[in-house]
Amino acid sequence: MIENSMFEEEPDVVDLAKEPCLHPLEPDEVEYEPRSSRLLVRGLGENEMDEDEEDYESSAKLLGMSFMNRSTGLRNNAAGYRQSSDGSCSVPSLRTMVVCAIVLVIAVSVIMVIYLLPKCTFTKEGCHKKNHTMELIYPLATNGKRFPWAKTRLPSNVVPLHYDLVLQPNLTTTKFAGSVQITVNVIQVTWNIILHSSGLNITKATLTSAGWNQAKPVAVLEYPIRDQIAVVAPDALLVGQNYTLIIDYLSNLSDTYYGFYKVSYKDEHAEKRWLAATQFEPLAARSAFPCFDEPAFKATFLIKIQRDEQHSTLSNMPKNITIPVAAGIVRDEFSVSLKMSTYLVAFIVANLKNISKETNRTLVSVYAMPQKLGQVEHALDTAVKLLEFYEKYFHIEYPLQKLDLVAIPDFQAGAMEHWGLITFRETTLLYDNKTSSAMDKKLVTAVIAHELAHQWFGNLVTMEWWNDLWLNEGFATFMEYFAMDRTFPELQTDEEFLKLRFKTMLKDSLNASHPISSAVQSSEQIEEMFDALSYIKGASLLLMLKKYIKHDSFQAGIENYLHNHSYGSTRSDDLWDSMNEITNGTLDVKKLMKTWILQKGFPLVTVKRQGKSLHVQQERFLRSVESENWTSDASYLWHIPLSYTTNKCNPFLCPYVYLLDQKSATIELQEEVAWVKFNVDMNGYYVVHYAEDDWNTLIDLLKNNLTALSPKDRAHLINNIFSLVGIGKVPLLKAFHLLDYLVKENHTAPISQALFQVSLIYDLVEKRGMQDLAARVVDRVEKLLRSKIDQQTWTDDGTISQREFRSTVLAFACSHHLGNCSTTATELFKEWKASNGTKSLPTDVMKTVFTTGAKTDDGWEFLLSMYTSSVSEAEKHKMLEALASTEDVRKLIWLMQTSLEGDLIRAQELSHIIATVIQSLPGHLLAWDFVKENWEKLIRKFHLGSFAIQNIVTVSTFQFSTEAHLLEVKTFFESKSEKISQFRCVKEAIETIQLNIKWMERNLATLQQWL
């Protein structure tokens, strides 16, 4: 849990010339420093300052302050200047003058030595020496005493080995008591143990060691701005010794989605009940128990939970024993865990039911509310199959005896990969045969695949620090789609991955983007790393690498990585080193991949064909807000594994591959070709631009022989040409001419991408109030898709791809009142309403039917009543989206406000509601007003930097395209604080509005003339 204290100003400088030293110098603090500086600050010696550590006061300024304090004392005590009885000052003696001169010379010399110190540069951060040490200001603890640590990251002089944690949650009072015993090992002699604690009322703390006769009371200093506490030892803690720190504390169950939090729900009798669950990633374990809350500090855990006997508990490990402790109260004790990070610890106190199945000596169970137990069978079968697949693919068995998957009725994230106890939203785990669509089935399968992949990538091997979060999330996302393709090929998930890559590149083409491996320190910076770049871009780069080095080498590299670092922590370089052991000098994977993870954005590859020669050139693809003559930053250079195909591609060699590791190069073909297409199946993470003649050739190819290219290649061409329109490389009309081939297209991926690109244009025009022009944009698309709309049936028949195609096309047609779509949907809704919701609707078109029905007041009210009584989360999700699609302003405001309150509609749905509300003309202004008016409530509920806040800021502003709205958004966030205005999502929102303004200036006139 991130406390509000994190947003307070930094503490005042502690003047140690006046404050007595509270702690003796530790061995690692003894190094040379000027005496005047020593009066104020102490260095941390061998503990290096991270280059990205937060700013401190200038060392030069501190030196001046310190010397001033000292010289003041000298003046007050100087014997050389005596006042005579008549009040006049006597002339100092020669000896006094000499002494003063010597003192002055020494003082000046000290200053010169500091400023002229070799290999030392004074900056805002201070004196940077070769070993990166610098002087730090110690902050003040809450009791006004000196806090003995001044960095965001914990010191490494003490490491945890084992936690023995006892918790006593009370679901009636919503409070809990806790006691933790932490066994630590001392790496460097110290007098302090620095660890994390947030919002915990510590009532008692003691320290013991094998060499001591009894536990000794210890003082605890608190510094809540960084969620840190310092345990002050009574004696020096010696190298190599183990100590046990025992802390008792009290706290409240959280009313946010972080930490140890409470959830209300209705049981099968519609009575209100409470459960308690945990969500610790990234920084909230510290709000449930004092701990070393950084991923690299792995330890084992023994969890004990005291509860009312009517409840049950779950944790990472199997339950060992249940012991009665009082009337109606029992204590559950779980097995000792494997070595793991604090953010993976989990426990739940609730009344849940489950079904189970055993595979390879692991008991897999799926838990849900009793009334929803009938919706867990698909999840259980899916989890068993995926667990078996991962064990075979990684050649590493799942190391625990059990694996629980739990549906939590109120859960902000999609799911959380706690080792042995994975928690989910109900919509991402439960599948109802009567109300869940093909896309719902794909979603549940994908989320389970992602979280099970984490049991190896993230749990067994964990990133050392949050800057490399992509090692966890990028890998889990990549394996999610790979495992689904291998295990459930009928779901055709590769197209879903393709759509996500397109959307991620839209975000990554902004200047507000970031490298997927980025330096982070603060809690907000860490929260901001949980974005599409860490997940989807990370996965995309792994896909590109796999295609380049081939599957067998890639798989061997993964196995090598997991075996080398099991139960350990890693950096990105550890992965590349493991891959290099497999490539064995044939390819430097580290050199190649560092160009992708340490640079933000991605390349634009321009191809010019001349005879048998292909001239290729790379630059950064950037949707710049600068003038037309702006040029890309020349310092950007990627090592790009180019893939390409031609009309004469040899089936045994196709696609061809070329590594472009310089700004430009020439590829020689064996013979002249009619056409060439780069980035085959969009397996590479780059955009391709062709010379005008080659674009024309490819457009003709789509019209005359579209099957010469795969559906993914066709979708890729649509995405690329509209992306190039956005940066002025291709005229808008050429992009629309390419879409003319859609009359022959029958595949989901290209049509989905075409509708997405056109919808971006439609939204900009419609939200400007240009309804006539917006209607003409729709008419243009209708002419291309009319026959496909008319061919659709309102059933669940066909393959997954055909069913998704039907959902996509009919949703588009009904939302724009094309053909007979709205009439058919209205009739189906009336029949469903007349049956009081008992009539079955085709699941793939259910949302479209609900959305059409919600256009009337009666339909909307009936849908709301059905929403409150439905036990199918898949059905409720569709109902909620339909409810938020109304254009009734009062209803939209009520929906957003009710969701924020979190009773009738859970707060977990708010982000999705806002994303739906903004799709209508009145809704997009209402949503932004709602965000402004409720900003403080939003950041209390979801936390600054969280994915929910990122999403709310982005979706509520991304359709603005006027200078007035740009000024309004800028002014609003600047008025909150400079810190908030510098958040990445805020910068992204502002940059997107600027780009929308530029797009309209460049293309609006052309659009009006052409249509």
Side-chain angles (χ1 to χ4, degrees):
M1 182 168 62
I2 302 170
E3 291 289 304
N4 288 334
S5 58
M6 286 193 175
F7 313 130
E8 297 172 5
E9 295 181 1
E10 286 295 313
D12 294 332
V13 173
V14 182
D15 189 348
L16 298 186
K18 300 175 181 178
E19 178 82 4
C21 182
L22 301 177
H23 308 281
L25 269 173
E26 297 182 10
D28 62 348
E29 293 176 328
V30 182
E31 63 174 21
Y32 171 77
E33 57 180 312
R35 171 168 172 76
S36 57
S37 178
R38 239 180 4 246
L39 291 172
L40 181 64
V41 294
R42 289 214 177 99
L44 295 177
E46 296 174 2
N47 293 319
E48 288 191 355
M49 167 58 69
D50 294 334
E51 292 180 4
D52 52 0
E53 184 66 81
E54 57 198 49
D55 293 343
Y56 292 91
E57 298 284 346
S58 164
S59 293
K61 178 181 177 182
L62 296 179
L63 175 64
M65 292 171 61
S66 181
F67 182 77
M68 180 175 66
N69 292 334
R70 182 181 175 212
S71 59
T72 301
L74 287 173
R75 286 196 302 269
N76 292 338
N77 297 290
Y81 292 89
R82 299 182 178 86
Q83 196 172 41
S84 61
S85 58
D86 63 359
S88 62
C89 293
S90 62
V91 178
S93 66
L94 178 61
R95 179 187 174 193
T96 300
M97 293 177 65
V98 171
V99 169
C100 289
I102 292 173
V103 169
L104 182 59
V105 169
I106 291 173
V108 172
S109 300
V110 167
I111 294 173
M112 292 181 67
V113 166
I114 293 174
Y115 276 87
L116 300 178
L117 196 64
K119 300 177 182 177
C120 178
T121 304
F122 272 88
T123 66
K124 182 181 178 183
E125 290 77 16
C127 172
H128 290 271
K129 303 175 186 177
K130 186 174 182 179
N131 67 354
H132 293 176
T133 62
M134 62 183 276
E135 307 299 341
L136 299 179
I137 308 164
Y138 289 113
L140 288 174
T142 52
N143 62 0
K145 294 184 177 181
R146 169 185 173 272
F147 191 81
W149 188 246
K151 293 186 182 182
T152 302
R153 299 279 296 274
L154 297 181
S156 57
N157 54 5
V158 175
V159 297
L161 302 177
H162 176 76
Y163 293 80
D164 192 328
L165 175 63
V166 180
L167 290 164
Q168 302 174 43
N170 187 319
L171 297 186
T172 302
T173 64
T174 66
K175 299 179 183 297
F176 70 95
S179 178
V180 64
Q181 298 183 29
I182 312 175
T183 302
V184 300
N185 180 256
V186 178
I187 306 300
Q188 290 179 315
V189 174
T190 182
W191 276 256
N192 309 297
I193 301 175
I194 313 295
L195 65 161
H196 288 112
S197 174
S198 177
L200 303 177
N201 178 17
I202 295 174
T203 57
K204 182 181 179 182
T206 59
L207 190 67
T208 185
S209 172
W212 298 354
N213 294 327
Q214 59 182 9
K216 301 180 181 181
V218 289
V220 178
L221 301 175
E222 299 185 36
Y223 185 51
I225 290 178
R226 295 199 186 98
D227 288 347
Q228 292 174 354
I229 59 173
V231 175
V232 183
D235 302 300
L237 304 181
L238 305 179
V239 172
Q241 295 294 308
N242 289 352
Y243 297 85
T244 300
L245 173 62
I246 306 170
I247 300 177
D248 298 336
Y249 58 96
L250 302 170
S251 191
N252 297 317
L253 292 172
S254 172
D255 56 5
T256 70
Y257 290 105
Y258 305 94
F260 193 16
Y261 73 100
K262 59 188 178 184
V263 176
S264 67
Y265 65 95
K266 297 289 181 66
D267 66 12
E268 59 267 44
H269 306 296
E271 294 183 7
K272 187 175 183 179
R273 302 286 186 186
W274 291 91
L275 65 80
T278 56
Q279 171 60 43
F280 291 161
E281 189 178 33
L283 306 171
R286 63 192 67 174
S287 66
F289 58 100
C291 57
F292 295 77
D293 201 10
E294 294 182 8
F297 286 116
K298 290 191 170 187
T300 57
F301 294 81
L302 173 60
I303 308 294
K304 303 171 187 175
I305 301 178
Q306 193 164 300
R307 59 171 172 88
D308 191 305
E309 62 182 359
Q310 68 176 334
H311 298 132
S312 59
T313 60
L314 294 170
S315 189
N316 304 84
M317 303 301 292
K319 191 179 298 180
N320 263 352
I321 190 171
T322 298
I323 305 170
V325 294
I329 304 297
V330 297
R331 176 182 293 180
D332 294 328
E333 183 174 318
F334 298 86
S335 300
V336 176
S337 76
L338 300 176
K339 191 177 178 183
M340 64 183 183
S341 303
T342 49
Y343 77 87
L344 294 172
V345 174
F347 30 87
I348 298 170
V349 182
N351 294 97
L352 303 171
K353 299 294 184 182
N354 71 286
I355 62 173
S356 303
K357 186 182 293 186
E358 187 169 338
T359 176
N360 195 23
R361 298 183 302 279
T362 297
L363 184 65
V364 181
S365 303
V366 182
Y367 288 81
M369 298 293 108
Q371 65 269 32
K372 299 178 181 179
L373 193 62
Q375 302 175 43
V376 304
E377 189 172 347
H378 170 71
L380 181 61
D381 293 339
T382 298
V384 168
K385 289 179 182 178
L386 287 166
L387 189 64
E388 292 170 349
F389 169 78
Y390 285 135
E391 288 184 322
K392 291 176 182 177
Y393 188 77
F394 299 139
H395 292 112
I396 299 176
E397 288 189 357
Y398 174 73
L400 304 184
Q401 297 175 353
K402 63 100 172 174
L403 175 63
D404 297 335
L405 293 78
V406 184
I408 304 293
D410 199 8
F411 192 78
Q412 177 57 41
M416 179 60 208
E417 67 269 17
H418 316 107
W419 219 350
L421 180 60
I422 307 175
T423 49
F424 295 78
R425 268 199 195 197
E426 290 182 323
T427 51
T428 60
L429 187 66
L430 305 182
Y431 178 84
D432 180 23
N433 290 324
K434 295 181 179 179
T435 59
S436 295
S437 66
M439 286 184 279
D440 293 329
K441 188 174 188 178
K442 185 182 287 189
L443 171 66
V444 170
T445 308
V447 176
I448 294 173
H450 183 98
E451 303 309 324
L452 261 63
H454 269 310
Q455 305 303 296
W456 286 265
F457 289 100
N459 299 5
L460 183 66
V461 180
T462 313
M463 80 267 143
E464 185 177 296
W465 181 243
W466 301 106
N467 64 303
D468 277 329
L469 175 67
W470 83 273
L471 282 175
N472 279 20
E473 299 301 349
F475 248 118
T477 304
F478 169 80
M479 290 306 303
E480 160 191 341
Y481 290 103
F482 178 73
M484 289 175 68
D485 184 59
R486 290 294 186 90
T487 311
F488 304 99
E490 71 278 5
L491 294 181
Q492 298 171 306
T493 53
D494 56 338
E495 293 181 1
E496 190 67 28
F497 190 16
L498 180 69
K499 285 192 290 186
L500 290 174
R501 298 203 297 276
F502 288 147
K503 290 181 180 180
T504 300
M505 294 178 84
L506 196 64
K507 176 186 178 78
D508 201 17
S509 62
L510 296 173
N511 198 46
S513 181
H514 65 91
I516 62 170
S517 184
S518 299
V520 292
Q521 287 288 331
S522 71
S523 59
E524 296 89 355
Q525 289 172 340
I526 291 169
E527 292 266 14
E528 283 192 308
M529 290 299 287
F530 289 81
D531 66 0
L533 300 185
S534 294
Y535 286 71
I536 311 302
K537 182 178 180 178
S540 303
L541 299 184
L542 292 170
L543 172 67
M544 181 173 66
L545 178 62
K546 172 179 168 287
K547 292 292 183 180
Y548 184 49
I549 68 175
K550 306 305 181 188
H551 175 262
D552 288 347
S553 295
F554 183 81
Q555 182 181 6
I558 288 177
E559 286 182 40
N560 200 27
Y561 172 72
L562 291 174
H563 279 285
N564 290 347
H565 302 286
S566 290
Y567 305 102
S569 302
T570 61
R571 301 181 180 186
S572 295
D573 280 356
D574 295 316
L575 173 62
W576 311 138
D577 289 339
S578 295
M579 291 285 183
N580 277 340
E581 290 176 18
I582 303 302
T583 58
N584 197 26
T586 58
L587 173 69
D588 189 341
V589 176
K590 182 188 292 187
K591 184 177 180 183
L592 183 153
M593 294 307 294
K594 275 195 168 185
T595 68
W596 293 93
I597 69 167
L598 299 180
Q599 296 184 113
K600 65 181 178 180
F602 55 88
L604 166 64
V605 176
T606 302
V607 180
K608 295 181 180 179
R609 181 164 58 98
Q610 293 179 327
K612 293 190 294 183
S613 299
L614 300 175
H615 302 287
V616 292
Q617 177 180 322
Q618 67 162 293
E619 60 185 306
R620 182 184 174 193
F621 183 95
L622 179 64
R623 293 189 292 147
S624 172
V625 297
E626 303 296 332
S627 58
E628 295 293 338
N629 60 1
W630 179 89
T631 56
S632 178
D633 189 336
S635 66
Y636 281 83
L637 178 70
W638 288 268
H639 291 189
I640 313 171
L642 298 177
S643 62
Y644 60 98
T645 184
T646 72
N647 61 303
K648 295 183 178 181
C649 200
N650 185 324
F652 297 102
L653 300 175
C654 203
Y656 302 115
V657 178
Y658 179 87
L659 183 63
L660 179 62
D661 56 2
Q662 49 195 340
K663 282 291 186 181
S664 61
T666 300
I667 303 171
E668 297 294 342
L669 303 177
Q670 293 182 348
E671 56 185 328
E672 290 195 26
V673 296
W675 56 265
V676 61
K677 162 67 172 66
F678 272 74
N679 201 355
V680 176
D681 284 341
M682 211 277 182
N683 288 325
Y685 194 73
Y686 56 94
V687 167
V688 184
H689 180 36
Y690 302 92
E692 185 173 359
D693 289 345
D694 286 321
W695 267 120
N696 292 335
T697 300
L698 289 170
I699 292 172
D700 290 340
L701 179 67
L702 290 174
K703 292 179 179 179
N704 301 318
N705 185 21
L706 65 87
T707 56
L709 297 174
S710 70
K712 285 191 281 189
D713 271 333
R714 303 198 295 270
H716 180 238
L717 286 176
I718 294 170
N719 172 269
N720 275 200
I721 201 165
F722 277 94
S723 298
L724 292 163
V725 168
I727 61 172
K729 295 277 188 181
V730 172
L732 179 62
L733 294 188
K734 185 179 286 293
F736 273 104
H737 288 154
L738 183 146
L739 292 187
D740 288 342
Y741 99 93
L742 288 177
V743 293
K744 299 180 180 180
E745 182 62 78
N746 290 300
H747 207 279
T748 308
I751 289 182
S752 294
Q753 183 57 205
L755 291 178
F756 175 75
Q757 294 295 340
V758 172
S759 69
L760 294 177
I761 297 172
Y762 174 87
D763 288 339
L764 287 180
V765 173
E766 188 217 20
K767 299 310 185 290
R768 279 277 193 99
M770 301 176 180
Q771 265 59 45
D772 180 61
L773 182 58
R776 281 183 277 159
V777 172
V778 174
D779 289 343
R780 174 72 181 176
V781 178
E782 183 191 11
K783 291 176 183 177
L784 300 175
L785 301 181
R786 181 179 298 158
S787 63
K788 295 172 184 57
I789 295 172
D790 294 339
Q791 291 168 6
Q792 299 308 310
T793 60
W794 295 73
T795 67
D796 287 336
D797 297 335
T799 65
I800 293 288
S801 181
Q802 291 169 337
R803 293 172 66 181
E804 285 191 1
F805 185 86
R806 179 185 300 122
S807 296
T808 300
V809 170
L810 289 180
F812 173 78
C814 281
S815 64
H816 296 291
H817 308 290
L818 304 181
N820 296 321
C821 187
S822 295
T823 301
T824 305
T826 300
E827 289 301 317
L828 286 171
F829 184 82
K830 286 180 179 178
E831 293 174 8
W832 178 75
K833 182 173 179 289
S835 72
N836 200 30
T838 60
K839 177 182 173 61
S840 295
L841 290 172
T843 58
D844 296 329
V845 296
M846 184 182 287
K847 186 176 72 174
T848 299
V849 172
F850 288 161
T851 301
T852 303
K855 300 296 182 185
T856 66
D857 287 341
D858 286 346
W860 196 92
E861 293 294 343
F862 179 75
L863 204 59
L864 178 61
S865 68
M866 295 302 295
Y867 173 84
T868 58
S869 61
S870 175
V871 296
S872 166
E873 289 304 314
E875 184 179 52
K876 292 181 73 170
H877 190 72
K878 298 176 183 67
M879 289 175 175
L880 191 58
E881 191 165 326
L883 291 168
S885 298
T886 181
E887 294 192 0
D888 186 314
V889 171
R890 289 172 300 174
K891 290 183 173 69
L892 293 176
I893 294 173
W894 181 87
L895 276 174
M896 291 187 287
Q897 193 62 49
T898 302
S899 179
L900 181 58
E901 292 167 1
D903 189 13
L904 186 63
I905 301 173
R906 296 199 178 279
Q908 67 177 16
E909 306 292 353
L910 180 58
S911 177
H912 182 65
I913 289 173
I914 292 174
T916 306
V917 167
I918 57 96
Q919 295 174 16
S920 68
L921 183 58
H924 87 290
L925 296 175
L926 280 176
W928 170 237
D929 287 342
F930 175 82
V931 171
K932 289 187 296 181
E933 292 167 8
N934 294 278
W935 179 253
E936 299 304 325
K937 293 180 182 177
L938 289 170
I939 61 177
R940 276 198 302 272
K941 184 69 177 178
F942 301 113
H943 292 188
L944 278 171
S946 67
F947 184 79
I949 291 296
Q950 292 179 49
N951 198 41
I952 288 170
V953 169
T954 302
V955 301
S956 63
T957 58
F958 84 99
Q959 296 179 105
F960 292 155
S961 63
T962 66
E963 294 288 349
H965 274 130
L966 174 62
L967 179 62
E968 182 180 336
V969 173
K970 276 185 173 180
T971 303
F972 172 74
F973 287 114
E974 288 172 356
S975 71
K976 294 304 168 185
S977 71
E978 182 180 356
K979 185 176 185 177
I980 289 178
S981 69
Q982 293 304 307
F983 279 143
R984 195 179 293 129
C985 61
V986 173
K987 290 182 177 180
E988 183 179 318
I990 291 170
E991 191 176 348
T992 299
I993 299 171
Q994 292 171 325
L995 288 167
N996 289 344
I997 293 170
K998 187 174 181 180
W999 194 97
M1000 294 290 276
E1001 290 173 350
R1002 182 189 289 142
N1003 297 294
L1004 182 58
T1006 300
L1007 198 63
Q1008 289 171 323
Q1009 293 172 9
W1010 180 58
L1011 295 176

